[in-house]
Amino acid sequence: MRGVVYDGKRVEVVEDLDVRDPGPGEVLVAISAAGLCHSDLAVVDGTIPFPVPVVLGHEGAGVVEAVGAGVTHVSPGDHVSLSTLANCGTCADCDRGRPTMCRKAIGRPGQPFTRGGRPVYQFASNSAFAERTVVKAVQAIRIPKDIPMPSAALIGCGVLTGVGAVLNRARVDRGDSVLVIGTGGIGLNVIQGARIAGASRIVAVDANPGKEAVARQFGATDFLGSADGVRELLPTGVDHAFECVGRVELVRQAVDLLDRHGQAVLLGTAPATAEASFLVSSMFLDKSILGCRYGSSRPQRDIPLYAELYRQGRLLLDELVTETYPVEDFEKAVGDAEAGRVARGVLTF
């Protein structure tokens, strides 16, 4: 079968990939669509260290082909959105409703794939850039069949991360002010999460002026080419600042632009050894810097919620899909993403 494999030197669309059958508590999914996320590119450029060879992709949706023993919540033929959380469901963090903190869901890459008889790693317990993948049952969440697959794919990462960061981690309240630095796939979902939460002022910042229209479509009330103008709009600062790029100088700006009791939420993927600085004295007025993994999400709860919000017209998904590409056009999809020509490119199988 076809898949996108990174061998440590180059990325290649291969046709000789194999995946094993699902075992107990697992689901085999035929991937219909998968979003191209910055995290996939971060594996290739070394920002995210990961063993190779690896099948990339982690933002996918498809149709259940087979289930392993003990799986009852999905059946063959069901449409599912895939999460990256292969959490155990039985540890203290899972029991507290914090699956993103499950230690069995972090840093334990499996090898359900083979190529030429040699094992190939799975990225983010998912590997959606393949015609088929095997995931833990908890990762496959049934969705209504009337949601287009390219749109449904984006729920599994961009929406869970961006909207989840607003609703679950920051807990933005009605009337709050929100700053969003970076309006890529994650940033746009932060913007619409803030709109859904009832924020009164949503300031989007991006160096690319061509992104203003889509940022406003998703809910931004203001658009700036840099964060330097934020104080002119909100002289006392913002209640919530979301850094969605992964650059340390922008982290500093997010912190510096907080109002009293404000919080900066870090979502951008910076290099593993990157260090950021801030003035300690600036934090004494109850300000906070918050890390956020995967939108502090509970996918089995959140994905059905976001699917319903989409059906109600309150959550934008179709508008995120700027372009679809057959998997053979992976290089073109990457080029468009790196050039900022698309909000989210989606590979189709």
Side-chain angles (χ1 to χ4, degrees):
M1 69 178 185
R2 293 172 297 168
V4 180
V5 176
Y6 174 57
D7 64 5
K9 296 181 179 178
R10 67 190 184 108
V11 181
E12 183 181 7
V13 179
V14 304
E15 297 189 0
D16 57 349
L17 197 64
D18 293 303
V19 66
R20 62 172 172 78
D21 293 332
E26 294 181 333
V27 178
L28 175 66
V29 178
I31 298 296
S32 299
L36 177 60
C37 177
H38 179 73
S39 295
D40 299 304
L41 305 181
V43 173
V44 177
D45 68 21
T47 302
I48 297 178
F50 207 88
V52 293
V54 57
V55 179
L56 298 174
H58 65 286
E59 186 180 67
V63 179
V64 175
E65 279 203 349
V67 299
V71 177
T72 59
H73 75 292
V74 293
S75 304
D78 284 344
H79 288 201
V80 291
S81 177
L82 301 181
S83 89
T84 67
L85 287 182
N87 58 297
C88 70
T90 59
C91 68
D93 283 310
C94 286
D95 191 51
R96 292 189 185 103
R98 301 189 308 206
T100 57
M101 295 296 103
C102 175
R103 284 170 170 78
K104 292 187 177 180
I106 302 173
R108 300 189 180 207
Q111 294 176 306
F113 301 100
T114 56
R115 186 183 180 207
R118 297 182 178 181
V120 179
Y121 285 101
Q122 184 175 42
F123 178 53
S125 302
N126 190 307
S127 287
F129 292 169
E131 289 187 83
R132 292 173 182 79
T133 190
V134 169
V135 298
K136 290 184 66 172
V138 71
Q139 297 176 255
I141 297 91
R142 187 169 59 243
I143 56 173
K145 292 184 178 180
D146 59 357
I147 300 180
M149 284 293 189
S151 298
L154 305 188
I155 300 177
C157 177
V159 175
L160 280 177
T161 299
V163 178
V166 174
L167 302 183
N168 301 327
R169 187 66 168 126
R171 298 184 182 273
V172 172
D173 201 0
R174 291 167 295 178
D176 285 355
S177 58
V178 172
L179 168 64
V180 184
I181 302 176
T183 61
I186 299 301
L188 289 175
N189 278 297
V190 172
I191 290 170
Q192 71 170 333
R195 170 178 51 78
I196 291 168
S200 62
R201 201 75 179 265
I202 305 171
V203 182
V205 173
D206 200 293
N208 183 352
K211 293 186 176 183
E212 179 173 2
V214 69
R216 290 188 181 276
Q217 180 182 19
F218 274 70
T221 59
D222 304 272
F223 185 91
L224 298 172
S226 78
D228 296 337
V230 173
R231 290 283 183 182
E232 295 179 14
L233 298 175
L234 297 163
T236 63
V238 299
D239 297 313
H240 311 274
F242 295 83
E243 200 283 334
C244 305
V245 181
R247 289 169 48 187
V248 294
E249 65 272 24
L250 299 180
V251 171
R252 174 60 183 267
Q253 283 190 315
V255 174
D256 288 346
L257 289 168
L258 294 178
D259 197 354
R260 298 182 178 191
H261 205 270
Q263 49 188 15
V265 183
L266 310 186
L267 295 176
T269 304
T273 58
E275 297 182 1
S277 63
F278 61 91
L279 294 175
V280 175
S281 60
S282 72
M283 303 300 293
F284 291 145
L285 292 174
D286 286 2
K287 299 179 185 181
S288 306
I289 301 174
L290 304 178
C292 184
R293 171 173 161 76
Y294 204 43
S296 301
S297 298
R298 286 180 277 175
Q300 291 287 343
R301 178 203 66 170
D302 291 347
I303 287 179
L305 168 63
Y306 299 151
E308 182 57 30
L309 290 176
Y310 164 79
R311 298 175 86 192
Q312 294 174 7
R314 298 168 62 192
L315 182 82
L316 305 182
L317 290 178
D318 302 342
E319 296 80 359
L320 279 168
V321 184
T322 314
E323 186 72 57
T324 58
Y325 307 83
V327 67
E328 292 81 6
D329 288 346
F330 178 76
E331 289 188 8
K332 183 178 187 304
V334 171
D336 287 348
E338 291 180 333
R341 289 189 287 269
V342 296
R344 205 58 145 201
V346 176
L347 300 181
T348 57
F349 292 86

